[in-house]
Amino acid sequence: CGNSRPFLEIVKELTGKELSGEAWIRALEESVDDKIARERKEYDAAIAGQKNECNDLDLDMTVRFVDGDTLIADSSETGNLLEACKQFEDFVAARVAASAATST
């Protein structure tokens, strides 16, 4: 391809039709609310599909979460990386809550 053939010729060959603004017009005719609702639905479906795929995540390595000398989580002890991540998440949430409690 490259510069050996005109762009519009390549478009017609790949799509089977002449280049036009119809796709842009259709996209612009969709209201913002409809677009947000459609994309939110697509996003939620994609996220829902991901939840079950990662339950047995195995990177064939050990991951350790530490804070200074404190071991927060070790994936070789928890059995998997996601459980270690959950322990780290809980640690951070507890620290944030403690910090918020002392600053009031």
Side-chain angles (χ1 to χ4, degrees), residues 32-44:
V32 172
D33 291 337
D34 289 345
K35 183 173 183 69
I36 290 171
R38 178 180 52 78
E39 289 190 359
R40 181 60 173 182
K41 185 177 177 181
E42 292 171 2
Y43 173 82
D44 289 342

Side-chain angles (χ1 to χ4, degrees), residues 19-30:
L19 180 63
S20 73
E22 289 176 33
W24 282 101
I25 292 169
R26 280 193 306 273
L28 294 172
E29 287 175 339
E30 182 178 23

